[in-house]
Amino acid sequence: MKKSIFFILIIAGLSFSAYGQTKNEDIIKLLELMDVKSQAGQTLDLMLPSFIQLLPDVPAVYWNTLKDKLNLDSFMDIYVPIYDKYFTQDDIKQLIEFYESPIGKKLIEQTPSIINESYAGGQAWGQQIGEEIVNELIKDGYIDS
């Protein structure tokens, strides 16, 4: 009898330790699996050329060191309460399982390329829409050509 109680306590303890992580710890694990911090850095890389173009008098050395000065960990801190708000801990655990799967890993691997192509496509689309709006405003007499 004592052996079976001891065995049950061991199993319960192992089960508790497997599920003992807090929701925030699980969210952080998920964000790390999703490579969110690296993606924030890549987004910054996409944004910097626009800043450089807008501010040509800023020395190149400033732009080269700026990324190192920025705290990309703070970007992760933004995500934790958002994921906490919209997902249960069970949801987070399922997302972790997904991102640990082959297709989840492939999504993580391809996301930077998808973001880069989406950014470029979005810029082209925005430029085209901007030109169409300006042309309509000229045609309708609201601005001069």
Side-chain angles (χ1 to χ4, degrees):
M1 179 73 162
K2 287 183 182 181
K3 286 184 181 180
S4 58
I5 290 174
F6 181 72
F7 182 72
I8 291 170
L9 289 174
I10 289 175
I11 298 297
L14 291 174
S15 298
F16 180 73
S17 67
Y19 292 100
Q21 279 191 291
T22 66
K23 187 176 180 187
N24 281 0
E25 290 170 330
D26 284 341
I27 292 169
I28 290 167
K29 180 179 180 178
L30 173 64
L31 296 174
E32 287 170 352
L33 283 170
M34 294 170 59
D35 206 16
V36 166
K37 191 161 96 173
S38 173
Q39 290 176 20
Q42 291 168 1
T43 301
L44 184 59
D45 289 341
L46 292 171
M47 293 170 52
L48 281 179
S50 297
F51 282 108
I52 292 168
Q53 188 176 17
L54 287 171
L55 303 166
D57 294 335
V58 175
V61 68
Y62 176 83
W63 299 115
N64 293 335
T65 59
L66 178 66
K67 187 175 174 186
D68 294 333
K69 291 180 187 178
L70 298 175
N71 180 4
L72 295 179
D73 288 328
S74 64
F75 192 73
M76 293 272 288
D77 295 338
I78 293 168
Y79 273 79
V80 172
I82 295 169
Y83 274 70
D84 184 42
K85 179 180 177 180
Y86 291 102
F87 296 102
T88 67
Q89 187 165 10
D90 188 54
D91 293 337
I92 298 297
K93 288 185 181 299
Q94 289 179 48
L95 287 167
I96 289 170
E97 285 179 33
F98 169 76
Y99 282 106
E100 288 177 334
S101 74
I103 191 65
K105 289 177 182 178
K106 182 176 181 177
L107 177 62
I108 292 166
E109 182 181 303
Q110 298 304 320
T111 295
S113 298
I114 293 167
I115 289 172
N116 286 337
E117 289 181 36
S118 299
Y119 185 79
Q123 280 186 318
W125 179 81
Q127 186 175 3
Q128 176 188 348
I129 294 298
E131 289 171 9
E132 289 178 22
I133 290 171
V134 168
N135 289 335
E136 284 294 314
L137 290 168
I138 290 170
K139 184 181 98 180
D140 294 337
Y142 290 106
I143 61 174
D144 295 328
S145 59

